[in-house]
Amino acid sequence: MLDIKSVNYDRVLRRYDIQMEAKETPEELAAKMVPKDPVLKKVAEDVVFMRYKNVQDDVAAAFQNYSPEEVIEQGLIKGMDVVGELYGRGIYYLPHVMVAADAMDRGVKLCESKMTGAREMRGKVVMHVAEGDPHDIGKNIAAVLLKSNGYNVIDMGRDVAIEDVVKTVESETPELVTGTALMTTTMSAFPKIADMLQEKGIDIPFICAGGAVNRAYVESYPMGIYANKAIQGPAIAGKAVEGWNWRKLREDWDEIIGGPGAK
Ligand code: B12
């Protein structure tokens, strides 16, 4: 039986670095992780510090120096990366994350309204977040970028049943289908969707993204094409409408998808 009284918890916490991590404040962590540029820093900090009332003014100010795509990638997403880190370390709790997500959403909506987007439709994309998964921020950003690049996006939203994804792909006949999963409990929906589509003779590229998946997992089932940045969506979609099949996309992944920023 463990003699709890004799355990020195201070030493245990120090041994595993828990004290050090827990002592870092959100301000200190943000200072290390947000961009140095003052304009983008402000935008990222609006997300980190849940300044949902300021975010639209700061995003609007950032348009003087940056495109809406840059404000999303280099400002808003950087802020959400810090929130993820704070949550992971137990410094932020779910309510913080919810308000930060709201600030992020307001910023992304303003960016979307500023994107000029191609008018001619290049092709159709069906998008969804995996069944049981509420995390739709990345999918929403990817949808904005695809729309602004001239794709007709059928956005099925989040927590979408496997059967509904399959039915929609069957009826809409898109060139590309996408799925996002941030939870290890939801990512297994993707191979099921791929198998069901294959059984129906549908063989289009299926972009699978989100923190729960990696390239090896996504390439372990038919059709899967891994993406880890929303900005990669239009590049993959472009190849898909040109007629590249998922095997060719995988072969040339490093060239077309794995460019700057890919892990
Ligand atoms: C924000 C957030 C929430 C918000 C979600 C709000 C929303 N509308 O999305 C809220 C508060 C609702 C939430 C809830 C929960 N969350 Co949460 N959440 C997060 C957090 C902090 C950030 C996620 C995020 O938005 N990141 C930013 C976006 C931009 O990233 P992204 O979606 O991955 O997208 C990027 C790429 O993947 C890619 N991408 C994504 N989709 C697509 C599509 C295409 C086509 C392309 C090309 C690219 C692409 O592009 C983006 C970058 O450019 C993460 C922590 C983390 N480190 O990720 C936890 C996290 C995902 N949550 C987690 C958990 C556990 C939960 C809860 C279960 C907590 C709870 N105890 O209740 C609940 C869910 C309950 C439920 N089942 O309903 C865990 C998941 C653990 C796991 N591995 O399973 C994480 C990892 C936190 C942690 N460290 O434990 N959460």
Side-chain angles (χ1 to χ4, degrees):
M1 185 96 165
L2 179 72
D3 175 10
I4 295 181
K5 279 187 194 145
S6 69
V7 175
N8 179 342
Y9 289 111
D10 272 350
R11 281 188 60 186
V12 174
L13 292 175
R14 237 186 339 265
R15 167 73 182 81
Y16 292 101
D17 240 7
I18 295 168
Q19 270 192 339
M20 252 172 72
E21 282 201 358
K23 270 190 183 156
E24 197 155 35
T25 64
E27 287 74 14
E28 284 163 351
L29 194 69
K32 284 189 206 159
M33 291 178 68
V34 296
K36 297 283 169 261
D37 173 276
V39 175
L40 294 171
K41 181 171 184 259
K42 220 171 187 189
V43 171
E45 284 180 349
D46 286 340
V47 177
V48 180
F49 301 117
M50 301 154 281
R51 294 180 192 137
Y52 61 93
K53 288 184 184 156
N54 300 20
V55 69
Q56 281 168 320
D57 287 346
D58 293 335
V59 164
F63 293 149
Q64 293 191 350
N65 304 327
Y66 296 97
S67 69
E69 288 87 349
E70 287 167 335
V71 176
I72 291 178
E73 285 280 329
Q74 296 168 36
L76 294 164
I77 291 182
K78 298 287 179 212
M80 190 47 85
D81 286 345
V82 182
V83 174
E85 192 62 34
L86 289 166
Y87 183 59
R89 291 189 189 191
I91 301 170
Y92 267 11
Y93 294 96
L94 215 51
H96 298 104
V97 178
M98 288 169 84
V99 187
D102 182 42
M104 172 100 188
D105 198 43
R106 289 173 193 230
V108 172
K109 285 214 170 87
L110 189 60
C111 291
E112 182 175 15
S113 72
K114 289 286 166 198
M115 287 184 188
T116 39
R119 301 222 167 269
E120 200 187 315
M121 281 302 157
R122 289 188 178 157
K124 201 190 270 185
V125 183
V126 167
M127 304 185 77
H128 84 288
V129 175
E131 186 163 357
D133 204 319
H135 298 93
D136 64 356
I137 295 176
K139 185 269 296 164
N140 292 343
I141 295 170
V144 164
L145 295 178
L146 281 165
K147 278 189 236 163
S148 71
N149 277 276
Y151 293 92
N152 175 8
V153 170
I154 313 286
D155 187 345
M156 300 188 69
R158 57 189 174 189
D159 184 14
V160 184
I162 293 170
E163 294 74 17
D164 290 347
V165 178
V166 174
K167 267 189 224 149
T168 304
V169 171
E170 221 180 345
S171 61
E172 294 286 346
T173 63
E175 280 88 358
L176 186 71
V177 53
T178 84
T180 301
L182 272 82
M183 294 163 68
T184 41
T185 47
T186 62
M187 66 189 203
S188 57
F190 296 156
K192 291 181 191 145
I193 290 171
D195 287 346
M196 285 166 82
L197 289 173
Q198 292 273 293
E199 272 167 28
K200 291 181 182 294
I202 298 169
D203 195 44
I204 55 174
F206 177 17
I207 297 183
C208 298
V213 298
N214 59 31
R215 189 175 171 192
Y217 178 73
V218 171
E219 294 192 356
S220 69
Y221 47 86
M223 298 160 58
I225 301 293
Y226 177 61
N228 60 359
K229 295 262 180 261
I231 201 85
Q232 295 158 347
I236 305 171
K239 296 294 179 195
V241 298
E242 268 177 38
W244 285 36
N245 64 30
W246 55 269
R247 291 181 184 83
K248 174 124 179 80
L249 281 168
R250 275 188 196 174
E251 263 169 40
D252 291 354
W253 193 92
D254 287 317
E255 196 187 314
I256 49 167
I257 303 155
K263 274 187 229 158

